[in-house]
Amino acid sequence: MSKRRVAIVGAGMTKFVRRAQETGKELAFQASKMALDSCELTLDDIGAVCLGTAPDAFDGVHMKAEYLSDGAGALGKPYMRSYVGGGTGVFAVIQGWYHVASGLFDTCLVVCEEKMSSCQPHPQGAFLTIFDHTTERALGPNLLWIFALEMNAYMTRYGLDKRDIALVSVKNKRNAADHPCALLGDPNITVEDVLNSEVLAWPVQRLDVSPISDGAVAIVLAADHVARRVTDKPVWIEGVGWSLDTAYWTNRDLSYPTYVEEAARMAYKMAGITEPRKQIHIAEPYDPFDYKELHHLEGLLLADKGEAPRLTADGVTQRTGDLPVCPSGGLLGVGNPIAAAGLMKVAEIFWQLRGEAGARQVPGNPKRGVAQAWGDLMQVGTVVVLGV
Amino acid sequence: MIEQVAIIGVGYSGYRSLTPDLSYKEMMFEAAVRAYQEAGIDPRADVDGFVTVAEDYNEGTSIFDEYVPDQLGGVLKPVHTIGGDGIHGLIAAYMQILTGAMDIVVVEGHSKASNILTKPEIMAFAMDPVFNRPLAAHPYFIAGMEMQRYLFETGTTPLQCAQVVVKNKANALQNPIAAHPANISPEEVLFSAPVAEPLTQLEIAPHADGAIVMVLASEKTARALSDAPIWIRGVGWCNDTFWLESRSWSEAWYARLAGQMAYRMAGLRSPRYDLDLAEVDDTFAYKELQHMEALGLCQPGEAGILTEEGATEITGDLPINPSGGSLGCGHLLDASGLARVLEVVWQLRGQAGPRQVEDAELALAFGWRGLPTTSGAAIVLSN
């Protein structure tokens, strides 16, 4: 529906690690440099820079975008930071898309960085301040608690067993063993390992969760005429969608992510997708927790409500299955530097559609993929559809 | 060829130095209702997207965008937050409409500065944590140093800076929503408490609470819905270096580049003669002068003289901040840029009452993100 076609022409990614030696600026620089080098462009060719990063409290820096600006290559350029919590990584692409699709810029560098390990003693402390100051914060809630509520609601609604959900963690951590930037890849992990891991907030156990991580990812966007000049393998942004639900999450049905469905419908409409299950060949839904991959597959209309666990058990979501899901290894396997993890998903679809995913490459020359992220108080969905 | 986009409705709440009776949510709601009424739209049915500008530390809430949709009528709609000045938010909405994927987009900015108990400490948290924060200096020292260098290089005098305060606070007397209007003399400004030499207390814009909402629409929709759409002719924004150690201390380079981009889009060759008025950031009195020069409204060193001669008064050749600016209206944190745009919209519609600039047809608004940043955004509007 947009008047101007926008393509991804380059991508770069740092290793995701628990405690990076680099500062956030350096991580952003490394990813940006790799992305530019990958398409043989320099900062002089870049019209605008978009940055995605989650709460300022991780770094303890007010106006974090300003602080990261030089690392992101934004000196003397139009520069803008968006944030929608965990949804930021995919939203940053949407922001870059409207920079180029509007006609204002021919190229845009999109950078997502997260340095969570500098938050001492633990980033959970920063998350305590995301709750409503009057109604919720006084209770001292922890993020894991509300995700436990949601996971429980999902399991109860559809009569699921923990084993049904643990399969996601196993699949993704095994997939990540093939990812050179992964923090948590493990080719030998089993369902029993997940079920026997420490209980954090029932039913959430340690291996159901992607822990904190540091890292950065960058991509280069270009308008049609530039993209064709820069590369013979542009990957087009065919549709984008985003949706934010109410802040009063206590009033919602936690077993289904309506906000993801809204975002997906917007992106599918723009991409001209009428039957997502047939027209999408590969998916990277957001999986900071294993049940979220299932949740999001349903929200993305790639599975009926309550059916995603069965697809997983049947192997449909394996790399060799009908619908490969998180072939990268996802957040559970590659790691979860929040905003960077979302952009990692977009970069993965980019590499998969170009056939450049190496050992992670899904068979059958996929032509269209979807990446999605989620965040805030379980209320935001961001979706990008890519195609070749 | 860039399509036209217009502002078709504006609403505000405040500005006040204290707002114990309203939460930020209520202020946002009040501003949104006004803007929707003016534009004649129903947010649930007609609006395609929402943009808010906010910074977590100002809000006291991490991931503040969580708390945006309910008061604006944006639940389960495309809503996102920009960490920027209000004009950055306007530009984001503008670009979304230009893509053709959206028709009506709403922008929101707000300040609940009176809730913040530790403003200097928060500002200090924006300094480089390794190189600058350990100095444990109040960030106003940056403004003091910059003002010193600006005065030295341009020959501008402290008195001329003080006259900016006198002008803006006097303009604010004509503005019913201004929070800090006053009838004061240059001497009172010059001899107010020194903060970071040569910067004095009255040269710093005091904070205010307030919320501003604007409705943007594509050309076709704007013409259908509004009798007086205010057209966006050009936008520009730019980021200079974060490093205190390597920036220009006399010139606002970010403002120059942002202005050039906006003028190029708007097709302006000589902004000084083309523009009928400008609302520019005046977080500190010298900033108004420095920004005027960087934005090409006069030569370097000329802004102080123009102010002295009265050219920047409402009745002058080049009216600057007829609203009273941040010095007179109050600084609205991330919404300050939107406050500048709000005045421009009223001026271009001929709704500015006693502070109306005659025959206003083309105007500029410029916002800066405040200490210690070097990011600015400009927008050129016409009626």
Side-chain angles (χ1 to χ4, degrees), chain B residues 7 52 65 70 193 200 314 324:
Chain B
I7 296 171
T52 289
D65 64 299
D70 297 276
T200 69
I314 292 171

Side-chain angles (χ1 to χ4, degrees), chain A residues 62 70 76 130 132 244 246 376, chain B residues 65-67 70 76 239 243:
Chain A
H62 176 43
D70 50 356
I130 71 170
D132 185 280
L244 187 60
T246 173
D376 287 358
Chain B
D65 64 299
E66 291 165 1
Y67 297 99
D70 297 276
L76 282 176
N239 169 74
W243 294 104

Side-chain angles (χ1 to χ4, degrees), chain B residues 314-369:
Chain B
I314 292 171
T315 51
D317 281 348
L318 181 63
I320 305 289
N321 287 327
S323 68
S326 289
L327 288 162
C329 293
H331 192 276
L332 297 170
L333 302 176
D334 313 306
S336 283
L338 283 183
R340 305 282 70 74
V341 177
L342 182 66
E343 175 70 8
V344 165
V345 168
W346 283 334
Q347 289 281 352
L348 293 175
R349 285 180 182 168
Q351 294 176 338
R355 51 185 205 289
Q356 181 66 47
V357 172
E358 269 184 57
D359 302 323
E361 290 175 353
L362 190 70
L364 167 77
F366 177 78
W368 168 55
R369 299 211 55 209

